[in-house]
Amino acid sequence: MFSSKTTLVLILFCFVLVHELEMHMVEAEKIDCKSKCNYRCSKASRQKMCIRACNTCCKRCNCVPPGTSGNTDVCPCYATMTTHGGRLKCP
């Protein structure tokens, strides 16, 4: 039968393994912010500012709404992010 030390080591090993697998899954699910934001801001009058704001929002939320405007209901985090002045940050 296993001793309590062996059991403890196996439990710790399993915990570390699960944690590592979760980290790799999160990294694998990240979207390509640059291309998504380039398309999102393609019709903006101030493209550089739009792309900068969009990339910030994308990196924080890992989501960019489809299309060149609107559709913010698809990404609630993106839709509710505000500036220090209380204005919506994400284009």
Side-chain angles (χ1 to χ4, degrees):
M1 215 23 111
F2 289 111
S3 69
S4 60
K5 288 182 181 180
T6 306
T7 304
L8 181 62
V9 168
L10 285 173
I11 290 171
L12 287 173
F13 177 74
C14 288
F15 177 75
V16 169
L17 183 63
V18 168
H19 181 68
E20 287 295 317
L21 287 173
E22 287 176 357
M23 293 298 289
H24 288 293
M25 287 176 63
V26 168
E27 289 175 3
E29 294 174 7
K30 289 194 177 194
I31 65 170
D32 180 20
C33 291
K34 184 177 179 181
S35 65
K36 297 268 187 182
C37 288
N38 282 340
Y39 179 72
R40 178 83 176 166
C41 297
S42 63
K43 294 183 179 178
S45 59
R46 299 175 72 183
Q47 282 190 346
K48 286 184 180 182
M49 189 166 69
C50 179
I51 290 171
R52 188 174 63 227
C54 180
N55 278 312
T56 299
C57 297
C58 178
K59 288 175 185 172
R60 290 183 188 168
C61 299
N62 196 36
C63 182
V64 175
T68 54
S69 66
N71 303 316
T72 54
D73 56 318
V74 176
C75 303
C77 169
Y78 189 96
T80 58
M81 196 176 300
T82 58
T83 63
H84 292 290
R87 299 178 70 191
L88 291 177
K89 178 177 187 72
C90 307

